[in-house]
Amino acid sequence: MSRPRIVIVGAGFAGYRTARTLSRLTRHQADITLLNPTDYFLYLPLLPQVAAGILEPRRVSVSLSGTLPHVRLVLGEADGIDLDGHAVHYTGPEGEEGTLPFDRLVLAAGSVNKLLPIPGVAEHAHGFRGLPEALYLRDHVTRQVELAAAADDRAECAARCTFVVVGAGYTGTEVAAHGAMYTDAQVRKHPMRTGMRPRWMLLDVAPRVMPEMDERLSRTAERVLRQRGVDVRMGTSVKEATHDGVVLTDGSTVDTRTLVWCVGVRPDPLVESLGLPMERGRLLVDPHLQVPGRPELFACGDVAAVPDLNQPGQYTPMTAQHAWRHGKVCAQNVAASLGIGERRAYRHRDMGFVVDLGGAKAAANPLGLPMSGPAAGAVTRGYHLAAMPGNRVRVAADWLLDAVLPRQAVQLGLVRSWSVPLESSSPEVARVPGSPKRPGKATGPAGQRPDGADAGNHPGGEPAKGKPGAEPAKNQPGGEPAKNEPSGGPAKGQPGGEPAKNQPSGEPAKEQPGGELAKNQPGGEPAGSRSHGGRAKGGQSGSPRASGKPRRAVEAAGPRPARGGSGKPGKEPRASGAGSAGKRPTAPSGPSRSAAPPTDPGPEPPANQPPPGPDIAPGPVKRTDGRAAEGDS
């Protein structure tokens, strides 16, 4: 008899602990597979310290394969779940597709940035949910302070050293507290010419900082922030974000180049595609974390609406503490469904909260005892060391070095603004040039260029529009430079320049069969008129993943340089699918031309190559005026 197959989607607090506990309980009696976009578990509470340069990124990243030796790790993002067929469809990091069959499925996909319909926020703000966003923020803040220190104009200096954080919850409060300390340390070493100092602003529509915490802890956190010069404005938020600043709901305008979005989170859009009962975007489960009517399906963490047995009629909040405890109970109930142990309902007891405010300052109430100052700082760091599943010695060593040595303030330039779009449904994965675009995945605001240019002259650090060598024209897929721009490169169709659209070696032709991406389709979705079947896309709000059995589209790695006069069709790009045999037909690649359709079709394509589309010429283009077409030898 084959062993039962357990698939866990997501390796956050809930998914990681589910896998670790199941591995211990089943003792090789089940095949456990963990599907996650990255090979590490991220300890989110310490992410603000990564942005402030206290901890190195790997300190808060716990290796999955190193700490889960009896769990099979599959890198990829789930983009469709077939509950009736007991299979999870996923897309790997290089665009490959696969299917994971299961007998038990645990959904622990976590959460993504919460968006609000505020003009300009999606284009100019950045979230704080993953390592790429933390690394980008550290580089961006460092760069802005360095540029402000070198600026002679007071207005430019003031805008560059003003940092706006929206959302005064746990994350926003810690980001503002650590950020103020970080920029003050930079200015002490290199004072600004204009004599100005960095300015941090913390905005929220709530009446007080961290309204979910005890009022005494809230007052402690606000007092520490104000002592460090943070401009705390409660009852105020952003009305509009522009290239040069933000307009607040009180009518005032703040010139800034940095807008950090910490308003909150929403459940991963994957669960919306299941068509099961939901509660405010979360999947409804019973107290045993099992989906009613689906004995094979469990959910925990931020994607699950778990009844709070201590407060009837309410659900447990979306916090790391609850997700960590969900994972243990979920693993016990999954094992019980396989005949190992007994089921138990999820019931929690509040052990208190801790908020790290940087340095020796913190706010904590362990076991209901309010604390502040160095004592709260010691309790907070001790709690984090105890809660981390790994890297404890390295984290403690970094804390010790930060206490006795000056902090390193350098920008590495590893993550650019276009790599961490706010509307991304995978904030843990940075976008890279040529990476495959998943159906429904956000790829950043229009106009951001893929070469990593980041002039840092407006919120988010993207180049200013309309300036030579700055931002490419909007609606250009992948951020290609506008035609005939001074630094945008040669015009398309010119010798040595970009390949012309609809040509074999250039951009994929519109409406062509074979799975190429249609132009101007939001999120890089395939055009609806293609003849190939597949899984249909669904979902809502933000950039949800595909639902049911979605079609998958794999973007080509980028336009190939024109090969003048070759006249040979290129190789087919791969477009594999789960369960598919063979390749989909694609338009052949060849030299780039901008002339009219040829009168001579040229040589026949080689065997096993698909015929060219109606707008693609496989051979040399002949002109009626006797001149050679552009791109011909």
Side-chain angles (χ1 to χ4, degrees), residues 11-12 16 36-43 57 60-65 73 75 130-132 427-429:
Y16 178 85
N36 198 59
T38 63
D39 64 349
Y40 59 83
F41 158 75
L42 176 63
Y43 190 75
V60 299
S61 310
V62 179
S63 171
L64 296 178
S65 57
L73 173 64
L75 294 178
L131 269 180
E428 66 274 12
V429 179

Side-chain angles (χ1 to χ4, degrees), residues 130-395:
L131 269 180
E133 293 170 322
L135 294 177
Y136 166 75
L137 182 61
R138 183 169 69 179
D139 276 3
H140 176 76
V141 169
T142 305
R143 178 170 58 254
Q144 295 308 308
V145 173
E146 291 171 349
L147 292 175
D152 294 321
D153 181 64
R154 288 186 62 86
E156 179 186 356
C157 180
R160 290 194 181 280
C161 63
T162 298
F163 308 95
V164 178
V165 181
V166 184
Y170 293 102
T171 302
T173 300
E174 291 185 344
V175 168
H178 283 280
M181 292 187 64
Y182 179 62
T183 53
D184 285 346
Q186 283 186 268
V187 173
R188 281 196 296 269
K189 296 178 184 178
H190 304 286
M192 298 184 183
R193 297 184 182 183
T194 58
M196 303 185 69
R197 296 188 63 82
R199 175 193 181 195
W200 284 79
M201 297 182 64
L202 180 61
L203 313 176
D204 203 311
V205 295
R208 58 186 176 91
V209 173
M210 294 187 298
E212 63 273 14
M213 290 190 66
D214 182 84
E215 189 172 354
R216 288 171 292 184
L217 298 183
S218 177
R219 289 197 302 265
T220 299
E222 184 171 350
R223 183 177 64 251
V224 171
L225 291 173
R226 295 190 184 277
Q227 288 174 351
R228 293 179 182 168
V230 178
D231 185 359
V232 181
R233 299 191 185 184
M234 294 293 99
T236 306
S237 188
V238 173
K239 182 179 180 181
E240 181 183 1
T242 65
H243 296 288
D244 301 319
V246 293
V247 179
L248 305 184
T249 53
D250 60 7
S252 60
T253 300
V254 178
D255 294 334
T256 181
R257 304 293 188 264
T258 308
L259 181 58
V260 186
W261 192 254
C262 302
V263 169
V265 295
R266 61 187 177 90
D268 192 291
L270 174 67
V271 298
E272 298 174 355
S273 65
L274 300 178
L276 297 174
M278 310 284 289
E279 170 63 29
R280 301 183 65 179
R282 294 195 284 173
L283 194 61
L284 276 173
V285 297
D286 60 23
H288 300 92
L289 284 76
Q290 194 169 23
V291 176
R294 290 283 181 178
E296 78 284 0
L297 181 59
F298 296 79
C300 54
D302 289 350
V303 299
V306 182
D308 190 342
L309 299 182
N310 294 331
Q311 302 182 45
Q314 298 187 23
Y315 299 93
T316 58
M318 297 168 60
T319 63
Q321 291 88 344
H322 280 289
W324 187 252
R325 299 167 186 172
H326 286 176
K328 181 178 179 181
V329 176
C330 184
Q332 292 172 339
N333 292 335
V334 170
S337 70
L338 301 175
I340 304 173
E342 297 181 356
R343 293 205 312 168
R344 56 171 292 194
Y346 177 74
R347 186 184 296 272
H348 74 94
R349 186 167 68 93
D350 191 356
M351 302 294 291
F353 297 93
V354 295
V355 179
D356 184 10
L357 300 175
K361 301 296 182 66
N365 61 344
L367 301 177
L369 177 64
M371 302 178 65
S372 61
V379 170
T380 298
R381 295 201 168 185
Y383 168 80
H384 288 315
L385 286 179
M388 289 192 69
N391 297 344
R392 296 186 182 96
V393 174
R394 290 185 171 92
V395 170

